[in-house]
Amino acid sequence: QVQLVESGGGLVQPGGSLRLSCAASGFTFMTYAMSWHRQAPGKGLEWVSGINNGGQTTAYADSVKGRFTISRDNVKNTLYLQMNSLKPEDTAVYYCAKGRDASARGQGTQVTVSS
């Protein structure tokens, strides 16, 4: 079955960086678009970024554009999210998902941006 395991979250100061990883298994990773979503405390799930199956096309929410970079390694079956210039409002649980929506997602990794 589909397994998505996120890692790389943690506590970081404002302005800092983190790189999230998502190890995928149970499906043919290279044939699917992938996406990142997040859920801040007390809020709903928010789409953050997406990437096509080959990695050539990416998209970002306005709130993270210019600061976050999504990428993938189809040999390692891994999705990444490089997060720079982090802000307190980026604090959330981050999920990777198979496809463009969050219906098939992992267990999430906590990112906390605080001084």
Side-chain angles (χ1 to χ4, degrees):
Q1 72 274 21
V2 173
Q3 277 203 314
L4 298 165
V5 181
E6 301 94 339
S7 61
L11 173 64
V12 63
Q13 292 188 340
S17 297
L18 283 174
R19 188 194 197 201
L20 305 184
S21 298
C22 171
S25 60
F27 64 103
T28 307
F29 181 75
M30 69 171 63
T31 66
Y32 284 88
M34 297 291 293
S35 55
W36 286 98
H37 307 258
R38 67 185 181 185
Q39 187 165 25
K43 297 190 176 181
L45 210 53
E46 174 192 17
W47 174 82
V48 173
S49 181
I51 188 167
N52 74 326
N53 64 309
Q56 307 95 337
T57 303
T58 59
Y60 299 91
D62 286 345
S63 57
V64 307
K65 201 171 292 183
R67 299 188 297 121
F68 290 11
T69 303
I70 190 172
S71 61
R72 63 191 297 162
D73 185 328
N74 284 345
V75 174
K76 295 182 178 179
N77 288 354
T78 303
L79 180 71
Y80 302 100
L81 186 68
Q82 177 67 43
M83 306 187 297
N84 298 330
S85 302
L86 283 161
K87 304 175 182 180
E89 51 263 44
D90 294 317
T91 294
V93 177
Y94 284 72
Y95 301 92
C96 72
K98 171 177 170 277
R100 293 180 172 83
D101 63 44
S103 58
R105 63 183 183 270
Q107 84 291 345
T109 186
Q110 176 71 47
V111 172
T112 302
V113 185
S114 174
S115 54

XYZ file of all heavy atoms in Angstrom:
858
model
N 0.847 -1.191 0.000
C 0.000 0.000 0.000
C 0.885 1.245 0.000
O 2.074 1.175 0.259
C -0.928 0.007 1.221
C -0.251 0.279 2.553
C 0.317 -0.956 3.188
O 0.574 -1.972 2.529
N 0.542 -0.913 4.504
N 0.262 2.380 -0.263
C 0.993 3.642 -0.314
C 1.567 3.972 1.068
O 0.856 3.928 2.075
C 0.073 4.787 -0.773
C 0.781 6.126 -0.662
C -0.401 4.546 -2.206
N 2.856 4.245 1.093
C 3.500 4.716 2.325
C 4.282 5.973 2.017
O 5.070 6.008 1.066
C 4.431 3.649 2.892
C 3.734 2.600 3.727
C 4.675 1.908 4.702
O 5.768 1.515 4.328
N 4.234 1.759 5.947
N 4.051 6.994 2.828
C 4.757 8.259 2.706
C 5.269 8.628 4.093
O 4.474 8.741 5.033
C 3.817 9.337 2.174
C 3.240 9.082 0.782
C 2.054 9.990 0.508
C 4.310 9.269 -0.279
N 6.574 8.788 4.220
C 7.176 9.061 5.521
C 7.970 10.356 5.444
O 9.024 10.415 4.804
C 8.078 7.905 5.975
C 8.678 8.218 7.344
C 7.295 6.595 6.022
N 7.458 11.382 6.127
C 8.117 12.687 6.140
C 9.159 12.745 7.255
O 9.001 12.104 8.297
C 7.098 13.807 6.364
C 6.001 13.903 5.329
C 4.743 13.137 5.721
O 4.843 12.222 6.564
O 3.654 13.463 5.202
N 10.186 13.541 7.020
C 11.210 13.778 8.032
C 11.841 15.138 7.785
O 11.624 15.756 6.735
C 12.275 12.681 7.992
O 12.916 12.660 6.737
N 12.619 15.602 8.762
C 13.351 16.849 8.595
C 12.764 18.043 9.312
O 13.346 19.137 9.281
N 11.621 17.872 9.947
C 11.036 18.973 10.684
C 11.809 19.269 11.952
O 12.746 18.554 12.316
N 11.415 20.352 12.625
C 12.076 20.709 13.883
C 11.786 22.133 14.260
O 10.905 22.783 13.697
N 12.551 22.610 15.240
C 12.429 23.979 15.727
C 13.528 24.820 15.081
O 14.707 24.445 15.108
C 12.569 24.004 17.244
C 12.633 25.375 17.917
C 11.329 26.129 17.710
C 12.945 25.210 19.403
N 13.136 25.943 14.508
C 14.097 26.815 13.846
C 13.741 28.260 14.145
O 12.556 28.587 14.340
C 14.119 26.527 12.323
C 12.775 26.832 11.688
C 15.239 27.271 11.628
N 14.742 29.124 14.179
C 14.494 30.545 14.417
C 13.978 31.222 13.150
O 14.263 30.758 12.030
C 15.780 31.218 14.882
C 16.228 30.777 16.263
C 17.398 31.603 16.772
O 18.114 32.240 16.012
N 17.592 31.593 18.088
N 13.255 32.307 13.313
C 12.835 33.070 12.126
C 14.035 33.431 11.262
O 15.098 33.806 11.769
C 12.184 34.317 12.735
C 11.687 33.858 14.066
C 12.714 32.877 14.561
N 13.849 33.278 9.947
C 14.940 33.507 9.019
C 15.766 32.281 8.711
O 16.596 32.303 7.795
N 15.546 31.222 9.447
C 16.310 29.997 9.256
C 15.782 29.142 8.129
O 14.832 29.511 7.427
N 16.410 27.973 7.979
C 16.067 27.056 6.889
C 15.884 25.639 7.418
O 16.483 25.250 8.432
C 17.185 27.041 5.835
O 17.352 28.298 5.238
N 15.065 24.889 6.711
C 14.898 23.465 6.946
C 14.694 22.788 5.603
O 14.158 23.396 4.668
C 13.690 23.168 7.835
C 13.803 23.407 9.340
C 12.445 23.196 9.998
C 14.841 22.496 9.967
N 15.079 21.514 5.537
C 14.804 20.715 4.351
C 13.990 19.499 4.762
O 14.467 18.663 5.535
C 16.097 20.266 3.675
C 15.871 19.599 2.317
C 17.108 18.872 1.856
N 17.065 18.565 0.431
C 17.786 17.622 -0.135
N 18.615 16.885 0.588
N 17.716 17.400 -1.449
N 12.791 19.425 4.254
C 11.935 18.272 4.523
C 12.140 17.212 3.452
O 12.370 17.535 2.281
C 10.467 18.686 4.546
C 10.081 19.818 5.506
C 8.565 20.019 5.474
C 10.561 19.553 6.899
N 12.047 15.961 3.864
C 12.124 14.836 2.936
C 10.889 13.976 3.103
O 10.285 13.940 4.177
C 13.368 13.985 3.208
O 14.541 14.721 3.028
N 10.530 13.278 2.046
C 9.392 12.366 2.083
C 9.774 11.102 1.312
O 9.948 11.159 0.084
C 8.169 13.019 1.478
S 6.771 11.906 1.241
N 9.929 10.010 2.029
C 10.258 8.729 1.405
C 8.974 8.023 1.000
O 8.093 7.798 1.834
C 11.052 7.872 2.380
N 8.879 7.695 -0.273
C 7.653 7.098 -0.815
C 7.869 5.632 -1.166
O 8.940 5.246 -1.643
C 7.209 7.861 -2.051
N 6.849 4.823 -0.941
C 6.886 3.417 -1.338
C 5.463 2.920 -1.547
O 4.490 3.579 -1.152
C 7.590 2.572 -0.270
O 6.918 2.651 0.965
N 5.355 1.755 -2.205
C 4.041 1.142 -2.414
C 3.339 1.587 -3.679
O 2.206 1.153 -3.931
N 3.972 2.434 -4.467
C 3.416 2.844 -5.751
C 4.571 3.271 -6.650
O 5.696 3.450 -6.189
C 2.389 3.974 -5.582
C 2.946 5.273 -5.046
C 3.174 6.348 -5.893
C 3.221 5.423 -3.695
C 3.670 7.542 -5.408
C 3.722 6.615 -3.190
C 3.957 7.687 -4.055
N 4.269 3.437 -7.936
C 5.311 3.811 -8.895
C 5.509 5.313 -8.837
O 4.843 6.089 -9.531
C 4.925 3.350 -10.309
O 4.605 1.956 -10.286
C 6.095 3.574 -11.270
N 6.433 5.724 -7.970
C 6.646 7.133 -7.635
C 6.822 8.004 -8.873
O 6.222 9.084 -8.965
C 7.874 7.226 -6.720
C 8.221 8.607 -6.253
C 7.467 9.224 -5.266
C 9.319 9.273 -6.775
C 7.793 10.497 -4.804
C 9.660 10.544 -6.328
C 8.892 11.151 -5.342
N 7.603 7.562 -9.820
C 7.958 8.417 -10.956
C 6.790 8.716 -11.880
O 6.919 9.564 -12.761
C 9.100 7.777 -11.754
C 8.723 6.513 -12.500
S 10.036 5.963 -13.602
C 11.340 5.604 -12.457
N 5.676 8.050 -11.703
C 4.526 8.289 -12.577
C 3.490 9.223 -11.958
O 2.479 9.525 -12.593
C 3.836 6.970 -12.958
O 3.252 6.376 -11.790
C 4.817 5.997 -13.601
N 3.737 9.695 -10.750
C 2.760 10.536 -10.059
C 3.290 11.927 -9.769
O 4.442 12.091 -9.350
C 2.344 9.899 -8.734
C 1.392 8.749 -8.902
C 1.865 7.459 -9.096
C 0.018 8.950 -8.878
C 0.999 6.391 -9.262
C -0.855 7.892 -9.047
C -0.357 6.630 -9.244
O -1.226 5.577 -9.415
N 2.422 12.922 -9.953
C 2.691 14.228 -9.367
C 2.663 14.069 -7.851
O 2.010 13.164 -7.312
C 1.634 15.227 -9.815
N 3.375 14.960 -7.176
C 3.422 14.938 -5.717
C 3.194 16.345 -5.184
O 3.345 17.334 -5.916
C 4.769 14.420 -5.240
C 5.076 12.981 -5.627
S 4.054 11.775 -4.779
C 4.630 11.948 -3.088
N 2.866 16.439 -3.930
C 2.596 17.753 -3.359
C 2.929 17.794 -1.874
O 3.055 16.755 -1.221
C 1.127 18.134 -3.583
O 0.259 17.140 -3.069
N 3.076 19.006 -1.377
C 3.233 19.274 0.054
C 2.030 20.106 0.512
O 1.584 21.016 -0.195
C 4.512 20.055 0.330
C 5.763 19.263 0.206
C 6.603 19.207 -0.867
C 6.347 18.401 1.202
N 7.664 18.369 -0.602
C 7.531 17.864 0.669
C 5.983 18.040 2.499
C 8.348 16.986 1.375
C 6.794 17.168 3.209
C 7.970 16.643 2.648
N 1.583 19.788 1.720
C 0.484 20.506 2.351
C 0.876 20.769 3.797
O 1.794 20.125 4.317
C -0.796 19.663 2.304
C -1.144 19.195 0.933
N -2.115 19.793 0.169
C -0.631 18.193 0.162
C -2.194 19.182 -1.005
N -1.301 18.211 -1.040
N 0.194 21.701 4.442
C 0.488 21.953 5.845
C -0.777 22.303 6.603
O -1.764 22.747 6.009
C 1.517 23.077 5.992
C 1.030 24.464 5.551
C 2.187 25.455 5.621
N 1.754 26.802 5.236
C 2.571 27.837 5.107
N 3.884 27.692 5.337
N 2.099 29.013 4.759
N -0.708 22.090 7.912
C -1.834 22.427 8.775
C -1.302 23.125 10.006
O -0.594 22.516 10.823
C -2.637 21.193 9.167
C -3.912 21.528 9.928
C -4.873 20.352 9.987
O -4.486 19.196 9.898
N -6.149 20.666 10.137
N -1.624 24.398 10.109
C -1.225 25.189 11.271
C -2.196 24.921 12.421
O -3.325 24.491 12.196
C -1.222 26.663 10.907
N -1.770 25.193 13.640
C -2.639 24.959 14.804
C -3.978 25.676 14.657
O -4.012 26.887 14.381
C -1.824 25.530 15.967
C -0.417 25.463 15.518
C -0.439 25.692 14.046
N -5.059 24.958 14.805
C -6.391 25.548 14.758
C -6.885 25.911 13.372
O -7.941 26.549 13.230
N -6.135 25.521 12.336
C -6.524 25.875 10.962
C -6.688 24.626 10.102
O -6.305 23.524 10.499
C -5.480 26.803 10.343
C -5.353 28.144 11.053
C -4.503 29.116 10.268
C -4.455 30.473 10.931
N -3.631 31.449 10.164
N -7.248 24.808 8.927
C -7.445 23.696 8.013
C -6.187 23.370 7.228
O -5.164 24.048 7.341
N -6.289 22.330 6.433
C -5.168 21.899 5.616
C -4.962 22.889 4.466
O -5.925 23.311 3.816
C -5.483 20.506 5.082
C -4.357 19.529 4.800
C -3.453 19.353 6.010
C -4.942 18.187 4.388
N -3.707 23.267 4.226
C -3.381 24.244 3.188
C -2.406 23.630 2.196
O -1.372 23.088 2.596
C -2.746 25.485 3.832
C -2.233 26.520 2.848
C -1.363 27.596 3.505
O -0.887 27.381 4.632
O -1.148 28.643 2.874
N -2.684 23.717 0.920
C -1.746 23.292 -0.115
C -0.558 24.248 -0.129
O -0.734 25.473 -0.098
C -2.436 23.281 -1.468
C -1.533 22.999 -2.626
C -1.106 21.778 -3.071
C -0.934 23.959 -3.503
N -0.296 21.919 -4.169
C -0.167 23.251 -4.463
C -0.964 25.349 -3.579
C 0.551 23.885 -5.470
C -0.261 25.984 -4.582
C 0.496 25.253 -5.509
N 0.655 23.707 -0.197
C 1.869 24.515 -0.170
C 2.563 24.538 -1.536
O 2.940 25.598 -2.033
C 2.849 23.977 0.893
C 4.189 24.699 0.825
C 2.242 24.098 2.285
N 2.733 23.329 -2.118
C 3.502 23.247 -3.361
C 3.223 21.931 -4.057
O 2.831 20.945 -3.420
C 5.000 23.358 -3.030
O 5.787 23.311 -4.199
N 3.434 21.911 -5.372
C 3.265 20.695 -6.135
C 4.325 20.576 -7.208
O 4.947 21.571 -7.607
N 4.538 19.358 -7.669
C 5.544 19.084 -8.694
C 5.023 17.964 -9.592
O 4.380 17.025 -9.115
C 6.888 18.719 -8.034
C 8.016 18.607 -9.061
C 6.771 17.423 -7.218
C 9.411 18.557 -8.422
N 5.311 18.073 -10.895
C 4.825 17.025 -11.792
C 5.699 15.783 -11.678
O 6.710 15.780 -10.974
C 4.751 17.544 -13.222
C 6.121 17.689 -13.886
O 7.100 18.009 -13.214
N 6.172 17.455 -15.173
N 5.301 14.722 -12.378
C 5.990 13.449 -12.179
C 7.452 13.503 -12.582
O 8.299 12.868 -11.947
C 5.266 12.329 -12.919
C 5.265 12.506 -14.424
O 4.914 13.566 -14.931
N 5.632 11.459 -15.135
N 7.779 14.281 -13.610
C 9.158 14.351 -14.071
C 9.995 15.391 -13.340
O 11.225 15.427 -13.493
N 9.364 16.239 -12.572
C 10.096 17.252 -11.820
C 10.326 18.564 -12.551
O 10.965 19.464 -12.011
N 9.802 18.672 -13.783
C 10.090 19.887 -14.562
C 9.154 21.036 -14.232
O 9.483 22.200 -14.477
C 9.976 19.590 -16.068
C 10.782 18.412 -16.556
C 9.962 17.126 -16.603
O 8.948 16.991 -15.897
N 10.376 16.183 -17.411
N 7.989 20.741 -13.731
C 6.979 21.762 -13.478
C 6.650 21.816 -11.991
O 6.336 20.790 -11.387
C 5.698 21.470 -14.274
O 6.014 21.382 -15.666
C 4.672 22.568 -14.055
N 6.732 23.015 -11.430
C 6.445 23.200 -10.012
C 5.459 24.351 -9.825
O 5.306 25.208 -10.700
C 7.728 23.507 -9.225
O 8.332 24.699 -9.755
C 8.730 22.366 -9.324
N 4.810 24.360 -8.690
C 3.873 25.425 -8.355
C 3.919 25.650 -6.852
O 4.216 24.719 -6.085
C 2.463 25.057 -8.796
N 3.625 26.902 -6.452
C 3.730 27.275 -5.052
C 2.549 28.149 -4.635
O 2.049 28.956 -5.426
C 5.021 28.049 -4.807
C 6.269 27.265 -5.135
C 6.837 27.333 -6.401
C 6.853 26.429 -4.182
C 7.969 26.591 -6.712
C 7.984 25.684 -4.492
C 8.525 25.774 -5.754
O 9.645 25.029 -6.067
N 2.162 28.019 -3.385
C 1.222 28.961 -2.818
C 1.889 30.330 -2.728
O 3.107 30.423 -2.538
C 0.796 28.497 -1.423
N 1.108 31.375 -2.857
C 1.665 32.734 -2.800
C 2.410 32.973 -1.497
O 3.402 33.705 -1.466
C 0.543 33.764 -2.955
C 0.025 33.851 -4.381
O 0.694 33.337 -5.305
O -1.067 34.425 -4.560
N 1.964 32.346 -0.434
C 2.547 32.585 0.883
C 3.976 32.056 1.011
O 4.711 32.468 1.907
C 1.673 31.952 1.967
O 1.509 30.565 1.724
N 4.384 31.144 0.127
C 5.724 30.559 0.232
C 6.564 30.802 -1.020
O 7.750 30.454 -1.051
C 5.657 29.035 0.506
C 4.779 28.756 1.727
C 5.165 28.258 -0.696
N 5.987 31.395 -2.044
C 6.684 31.605 -3.304
C 7.946 32.434 -3.083
O 7.925 33.445 -2.379
C 5.757 32.300 -4.298
C 6.131 32.147 -5.743
C 5.019 32.686 -6.656
C 3.777 31.850 -6.599
N 2.722 32.320 -7.520
N 9.051 31.971 -3.656
C 10.321 32.670 -3.508
C 11.114 32.246 -2.284
O 12.291 32.602 -2.149
N 10.482 31.491 -1.383
C 11.180 31.040 -0.164
C 11.314 29.507 -0.118
O 12.280 28.996 0.437
C 10.405 31.499 1.073
C 10.269 33.004 1.192
C 9.659 33.401 2.528
N 8.300 32.890 2.706
C 7.927 32.088 3.700
N 8.797 31.708 4.614
N 6.664 31.671 3.796
N 10.346 28.810 -0.658
C 10.344 27.341 -0.641
C 10.644 26.805 -2.035
O 10.252 27.405 -3.039
C 8.985 26.811 -0.197
C 8.628 27.033 1.240
C 9.368 27.870 2.063
C 7.525 26.400 1.787
C 9.027 28.070 3.396
C 7.153 26.577 3.111
C 7.910 27.421 3.909
N 11.312 25.653 -2.069
C 11.596 24.976 -3.333
C 11.266 23.496 -3.208
O 11.793 22.811 -2.324
C 13.067 25.129 -3.739
O 13.403 26.517 -3.821
C 13.322 24.471 -5.087
N 10.400 23.027 -4.090
C 10.048 21.612 -4.120
C 10.914 20.914 -5.173
O 11.234 21.480 -6.212
C 8.544 21.424 -4.437
C 8.115 19.974 -4.232
C 8.213 21.917 -5.843
C 6.589 19.772 -4.338
N 11.305 19.677 -4.875
C 12.073 18.890 -5.831
C 11.833 17.410 -5.538
O 11.231 17.057 -4.516
C 13.565 19.225 -5.744
O 14.083 18.930 -4.464
N 12.322 16.586 -6.441
C 12.136 15.145 -6.257
C 13.292 14.391 -6.869
O 13.948 14.871 -7.796
C 10.816 14.689 -6.884
C 10.733 14.873 -8.389
C 9.305 14.652 -8.910
N 8.860 13.276 -8.673
C 7.587 12.900 -8.695
N 6.632 13.787 -8.922
N 7.261 11.632 -8.491
N 13.529 13.200 -6.346
C 14.536 12.290 -6.885
C 13.809 10.991 -7.220
O 13.453 10.225 -6.314
C 15.635 12.058 -5.848
C 16.789 11.223 -6.380
O 16.546 10.350 -7.242
O 17.925 11.414 -5.924
N 13.578 10.762 -8.497
C 12.808 9.586 -8.918
C 13.610 8.294 -8.854
O 13.036 7.214 -9.041
C 12.257 9.794 -10.323
C 11.063 10.738 -10.342
O 10.482 11.011 -9.302
N 10.716 11.230 -11.517
N 14.897 8.379 -8.602
C 15.701 7.169 -8.369
C 15.575 6.754 -6.903
O 15.427 5.574 -6.591
C 17.175 7.421 -8.745
C 18.038 6.227 -8.363
C 17.292 7.721 -10.235
N 15.599 7.739 -6.030
C 15.499 7.460 -4.588
C 14.051 7.425 -4.093
O 13.807 7.193 -2.902
C 16.280 8.515 -3.800
C 17.783 8.490 -4.056
C 18.490 9.524 -3.202
C 19.988 9.469 -3.403
N 20.707 10.488 -2.597
N 13.086 7.691 -4.980
C 11.669 7.734 -4.586
C 11.446 8.687 -3.411
O 10.778 8.353 -2.421
C 11.157 6.341 -4.217
C 10.980 5.435 -5.410
O 11.135 5.872 -6.558
N 10.686 4.179 -5.172
N 12.009 9.866 -3.525
C 11.962 10.833 -2.430
C 11.550 12.213 -2.935
O 12.017 12.656 -3.986
C 13.319 10.913 -1.715
O 13.684 9.611 -1.243
C 13.265 11.872 -0.540
N 10.700 12.842 -2.163
C 10.238 14.210 -2.423
C 10.881 15.117 -1.386
O 11.066 14.712 -0.231
C 8.720 14.265 -2.301
C 8.031 15.597 -2.522
C 8.083 15.990 -3.999
C 6.589 15.536 -2.041
N 11.210 16.331 -1.796
C 11.864 17.277 -0.894
C 11.111 18.610 -0.867
O 10.422 18.974 -1.812
C 13.306 17.547 -1.349
C 14.164 16.321 -1.425
C 14.410 15.705 -2.651
C 14.745 15.764 -0.282
C 15.203 14.575 -2.740
C 15.535 14.636 -0.364
C 15.760 14.042 -1.596
O 16.541 12.915 -1.668
N 11.312 19.339 0.234
C 10.860 20.723 0.310
C 11.938 21.513 1.039
O 12.136 21.330 2.247
C 9.521 20.845 1.039
C 8.912 22.252 1.028
C 8.489 22.633 -0.396
C 7.719 22.346 1.973
N 12.650 22.340 0.298
C 13.651 23.235 0.894
C 12.933 24.509 1.322
O 12.298 25.171 0.494
C 14.753 23.553 -0.118
C 15.791 24.526 0.395
C 16.630 23.959 1.521
O 17.056 22.817 1.461
N 16.869 24.765 2.557
N 13.026 24.830 2.590
C 12.330 25.991 3.144
C 13.350 26.983 3.680
O 14.104 26.660 4.606
C 11.383 25.545 4.262
C 10.410 24.455 3.833
S 9.171 24.079 5.077
C 10.201 23.466 6.395
N 13.396 28.153 3.077
C 14.314 29.213 3.488
C 13.525 30.409 4.009
O 12.319 30.534 3.769
C 15.189 29.634 2.303
C 16.054 28.510 1.782
O 16.469 27.613 2.522
N 16.334 28.541 0.492
N 14.213 31.301 4.684
C 13.609 32.534 5.215
C 12.318 32.224 5.960
O 11.278 32.869 5.730
C 13.346 33.524 4.071
O 14.534 33.825 3.382
N 12.383 31.255 6.834
C 11.176 30.809 7.531
C 10.618 31.893 8.446
O 11.368 32.685 9.046
C 11.469 29.536 8.322
C 11.524 28.273 7.445
C 12.262 27.150 8.155
C 10.122 27.834 7.065
N 9.287 31.922 8.528
C 8.569 32.899 9.336
C 7.738 32.165 10.394
O 7.376 31.004 10.199
C 7.618 33.705 8.441
C 8.283 34.394 7.276
C 7.251 35.058 6.384
C 7.892 35.728 5.178
N 6.883 36.381 4.307
N 7.391 32.833 11.478
C 6.551 32.182 12.486
C 5.248 31.634 11.905
O 4.765 30.587 12.353
C 6.292 33.303 13.494
C 7.502 34.171 13.377
C 7.855 34.148 11.914
N 4.713 32.292 10.909
C 3.462 31.823 10.301
C 3.632 30.565 9.453
O 2.650 30.002 8.963
C 2.800 32.926 9.465
C 3.719 33.588 8.460
C 4.310 34.890 8.972
O 4.755 34.932 10.152
O 4.352 35.863 8.185
N 4.876 30.106 9.280
C 5.114 28.828 8.602
C 4.993 27.659 9.570
O 5.058 26.501 9.150
C 6.506 28.805 7.963
C 6.658 29.802 6.839
O 5.726 29.926 6.020
O 7.728 30.456 6.764
N 4.828 27.941 10.844
C 4.673 26.883 11.842
C 3.448 26.032 11.527
O 2.336 26.555 11.389
C 4.531 27.482 13.247
O 5.759 28.135 13.597
C 4.232 26.403 14.280
N 3.665 24.732 11.389
C 2.581 23.828 11.004
C 3.112 22.392 10.975
O 4.322 22.170 11.052
C 2.052 24.184 9.617
N 2.195 21.454 10.846
C 2.571 20.080 10.494
C 2.565 20.013 8.978
O 1.579 20.413 8.334
C 1.594 19.061 11.094
C 1.979 17.640 10.656
C 1.576 19.159 12.612
N 3.669 19.534 8.417
C 3.817 19.454 6.971
C 3.630 18.007 6.509
O 4.222 17.074 7.083
C 5.193 19.969 6.553
C 5.274 21.472 6.590
C 5.308 22.159 7.798
C 5.299 22.222 5.415
C 5.347 23.538 7.839
C 5.343 23.607 5.441
C 5.367 24.262 6.659
O 5.405 25.633 6.693
N 2.832 17.860 5.462
C 2.520 16.541 4.913
C 2.913 16.473 3.450
O 2.666 17.424 2.699
C 1.019 16.269 4.983
C 0.408 16.315 6.353
C -0.132 17.495 6.856
C 0.334 15.160 7.142
C -0.714 17.536 8.110
C -0.246 15.198 8.399
C -0.765 16.382 8.871
O -1.342 16.418 10.123
N 3.488 15.358 3.050
C 3.628 15.110 1.620
C 2.468 14.232 1.183
O 1.889 13.492 1.983
C 4.965 14.470 1.268
S 5.155 12.756 1.739
N 2.113 14.355 -0.078
C 0.958 13.631 -0.583
C 1.210 13.113 -1.989
O 1.903 13.751 -2.791
C -0.274 14.530 -0.577
N 0.631 11.960 -2.263
C 0.643 11.384 -3.611
C -0.434 12.090 -4.417
O -1.597 12.122 -4.012
C 0.369 9.878 -3.511
C 0.125 9.158 -4.805
C -0.051 7.675 -4.531
C -0.547 6.911 -5.751
N -2.013 7.001 -5.884
N -0.008 12.663 -5.517
C -0.963 13.407 -6.308
C -1.031 14.868 -5.907
O -0.174 15.372 -5.180
N -2.060 15.541 -6.374
C -2.185 16.987 -6.155
C -2.988 17.345 -4.914
O -2.885 18.461 -4.419
C -2.801 17.633 -7.389
C -1.887 17.574 -8.609
C -2.514 18.214 -9.838
N -1.551 18.320 -10.937
C -1.260 17.348 -11.774
N -1.860 16.179 -11.649
N -0.382 17.527 -12.738
N -3.804 16.437 -4.415
C -4.542 16.759 -3.203
C -3.963 15.967 -2.030
O -3.035 15.194 -2.198
C -6.039 16.471 -3.387
C -6.329 15.001 -3.651
O -5.745 14.141 -2.956
O -7.135 14.711 -4.527
N -4.537 16.184 -0.877
C -3.962 15.619 0.342
C -4.654 14.346 0.809
O -4.465 13.929 1.949
C -4.003 16.664 1.452
N -5.440 13.735 -0.062
C -6.193 12.562 0.375
C -5.302 11.378 0.723
O -5.637 10.589 1.608
C -7.210 12.164 -0.694
O -6.564 11.903 -1.923
N -4.170 11.244 0.047
C -3.215 10.173 0.356
C -1.937 10.824 0.829
O -1.078 11.194 0.026
C -2.961 9.302 -0.865
N -1.814 11.006 2.123
C -0.673 11.737 2.677
C -0.029 10.948 3.800
O -0.615 9.998 4.319
C -1.113 13.119 3.182
C -2.113 13.095 4.318
C -2.523 14.521 4.679
N -3.429 14.593 5.809
C -4.742 14.557 5.723
N -5.316 14.392 4.544
N -5.492 14.645 6.807
N 1.167 11.394 4.199
C 1.875 10.740 5.275
C 1.395 11.194 6.639
O 0.361 11.857 6.759
N 2.198 10.870 7.658
C 1.798 11.195 9.028
C 2.201 12.617 9.417
O 1.744 13.133 10.428
C 2.436 10.191 10.014
C 3.862 10.507 10.453
C 4.903 10.355 9.348
O 4.646 9.749 8.310
N 6.095 10.906 9.555
N 3.050 13.220 8.616
C 3.419 14.609 8.841
C 4.671 14.780 9.671
O 5.087 13.883 10.409
N 5.277 15.957 9.542
C 6.430 16.338 10.355
C 6.213 17.767 10.845
O 5.788 18.638 10.091
C 7.746 16.182 9.565
O 8.859 16.421 10.429
C 7.825 17.135 8.375
N 6.497 17.989 12.131
C 6.227 19.295 12.740
C 7.349 20.272 12.422
O 8.528 19.968 12.606
C 6.105 19.145 14.262
C 5.927 20.456 15.009
C 4.568 21.080 14.781
O 3.550 20.402 14.859
N 4.551 22.380 14.494
N 6.965 21.446 11.973
C 7.893 22.562 11.785
C 7.445 23.698 12.689
O 6.294 24.141 12.618
C 7.905 23.023 10.311
C 8.706 24.306 10.166
C 8.461 21.931 9.416
N 8.349 24.140 13.546
C 8.054 25.239 14.456
C 9.083 26.334 14.241
O 10.286 26.095 14.344
C 8.087 24.774 15.916
O 7.144 23.714 16.104
C 7.744 25.923 16.860
N 8.586 27.522 13.913
C 9.464 28.671 13.686
C 9.233 29.664 14.821
O 8.171 30.279 14.936
C 9.169 29.332 12.328
C 10.180 30.452 12.078
C 9.213 28.300 11.215
N 10.232 29.776 15.667
C 10.083 30.605 16.858
C 11.451 31.004 17.384
O 12.419 30.254 17.284
C 9.315 29.837 17.939
O 9.266 30.562 19.139
N 11.502 32.210 17.975
C 12.741 32.650 18.603
C 12.737 32.301 20.081
O 13.709 32.575 20.791
C 12.929 34.148 18.393
O 11.799 34.844 18.846
